[in-house]
Amino acid sequence: MTVPLTIRSGGVTDRGLRRETNEDALIVTDTMCAVADGMGGHEAGEVASALCVSTLGGSDLFSLDDFRDYVIVEPAPGSDVARFRATIDRQLKLDPDVPNEALEAVHRVRSVLWEADQAIQAQCGTRAGTTVTGAWLVEIAGSWLWLVFNVGDSRTYQLVGPPVGDPPTPATGPVGVTQLTVDHSEVQYLVSIGQLTPAQALVHPRRNVITRALGTGQIWEPDVIVVPAVPGQRLLMCSDGLTGELSPAHIARVLHSVPHPKEAADVLVQAALRTGGRDNVTLVVADVLRADDPRANTTSIPRIR
């Protein structure tokens, strides 16, 4: 019998120290968390990110008892978005740990993101856009899975090493984070083809140029990966305002040492502000718990500044 799982999460978004407005947004529900980083200047980027997370948060997909009851709304078969579908199907089918039913769930996540893209275009034209990354905890064919999605350069990480608060041992290995998503950016492409090293990408003058975003009218096909979900797991979703200020090692130390997800989110934001706060900073920390864990159902309301 499958043990029911749930999320305990906490989020925070901060304008930072140098920006006049906050164009980031976040959403935290019982089964899904996401972060969006808007672009397009004053008001427009703020609208784009807000529309993105409100579409995700208002979707029935993430609250239905059976996700297959969600009716897919997608572009026509010949459209730019739809033509990527077969490629994603093949990639998932190559992974023996991913049940075939997960393909249906992936398509529904894509459909919700397409609705967000259309909502942004309807309100802003193509003057604004937003990145987004998030994770949905769902039971599929008797297995609990995370469906992790991203468009742009906002990221989702997983804490690795010993359980939160436990000291590292030879068996667990050191504390660290694994980046589950791949940035859709110019510098990431240059890294992937060997023209830049990861260290060079951090200081490259075009490091903030992204190649996919919702709402811009351009190709934005999301990446969706399937990750097994187990009790004790901790994920982090964040905008580049966090990763531009803190190293992965620093992020990992905080995630490992601070037990409550909301407190961990607050500590990370304050650290990013101390090191410069050059951009809006937004993140959600999400823990996987057994549904009968007394700590369950304690999702924290995000702090917004």
Side-chain angles (χ1 to χ4, degrees):
M1 180 177 178
T2 303
V3 176
L5 300 181
T6 189
I7 298 173
R8 180 177 70 155
S9 60
V12 57
T13 181
D14 196 288
R15 177 171 53 87
L17 302 179
R18 302 190 186 181
R19 297 295 181 93
E20 293 183 357
T21 60
N22 190 348
E23 295 184 277
D24 286 0
L26 61 86
I27 183 70
V28 172
T29 76
D30 290 341
T31 63
M32 184 273 302
C33 308
V35 166
D37 181 353
M39 65 202 75
H42 180 62
E43 293 186 354
E46 184 178 351
V47 170
S49 62
L51 283 169
C52 176
V53 299
S54 65
T55 302
L56 290 170
S59 174
D60 292 338
L61 173 63
F62 306 114
S63 59
L64 289 170
D65 291 335
D66 188 337
F67 69 85
R68 289 168 295 189
D69 292 337
Y70 177 81
V71 179
I72 295 179
V73 179
E74 284 195 294
S79 69
D80 287 335
V81 174
R83 66 191 177 88
F84 287 91
R85 182 170 183 155
T87 301
I88 299 298
D89 288 356
R90 287 196 298 272
Q91 290 172 347
L92 286 175
K93 286 177 179 175
L94 290 174
D95 188 337
D97 296 326
V98 175
N100 290 332
E101 291 88 342
L103 292 173
E104 298 180 35
V106 168
H107 295 320
R108 283 161 174 77
V109 170
R110 278 222 216 87
S111 178
V112 176
L113 291 172
W114 182 76
E115 291 178 38
D117 173 79
Q118 296 299 293
I120 296 166
Q121 290 194 54
Q123 184 151 338
C124 305
T126 55
R127 301 185 308 277
T130 187
T131 71
V132 64
T133 191
W136 172 31
L137 181 67
V138 59
E139 184 183 10
I140 300 177
S143 298
W144 281 93
L145 305 169
W146 282 110
L147 267 63
V148 178
F149 53 90
N150 79 292
V151 180
D153 63 354
S154 294
R155 297 176 178 175
T156 295
Y157 291 89
Q158 179 176 325
L159 180 67
V160 296
V164 174
D166 288 358
T169 67
T172 62
V175 173
V177 288
T178 296
Q179 184 177 334
L180 299 178
T181 56
V182 177
D183 293 355
H184 301 138
S185 66
E186 285 194 4
V187 294
Q188 179 58 47
Y189 172 72
L190 294 174
V191 169
S192 69
I193 63 174
Q195 290 191 12
L196 286 179
T197 66
Q200 291 171 329
L202 291 174
V203 296
H204 195 278
R206 294 181 64 80
R207 61 186 178 277
N208 294 323
V209 179
I210 64 173
T211 54
R212 301 186 205 176
L214 298 182
T216 62
Q218 305 298 317
I219 294 174
W220 57 267
E221 176 66 12
D223 290 340
V224 184
I225 66 168
V226 181
V227 178
V230 295
Q233 207 170 23
R234 172 165 278 189
L235 299 189
L236 165 71
M237 288 134 273
C238 62
S239 65
D240 64 345
L242 182 74
T243 54
E245 300 290 357
L246 302 180
S247 69
H250 189 148
I251 291 170
R253 286 195 297 271
V254 172
L255 291 177
H256 178 257
S257 62
V258 182
H260 196 286
K262 180 59 170 64
E263 293 175 2
D266 286 338
V267 171
L268 285 169
V269 165
Q270 292 305 312
L273 296 179
R274 285 195 301 271
T275 56
R278 291 166 290 183
D279 199 353
N280 308 146
V281 186
T282 302
L283 63 141
V284 175
V285 178
D287 293 346
V288 180
L289 302 176
R290 291 171 56 109
D292 58 2
D293 191 305
R295 298 170 297 171
N297 301 319
T298 57
T299 296
S300 299
I301 300 299
R303 180 175 68 84
I304 299 175
R305 176 177 179 272

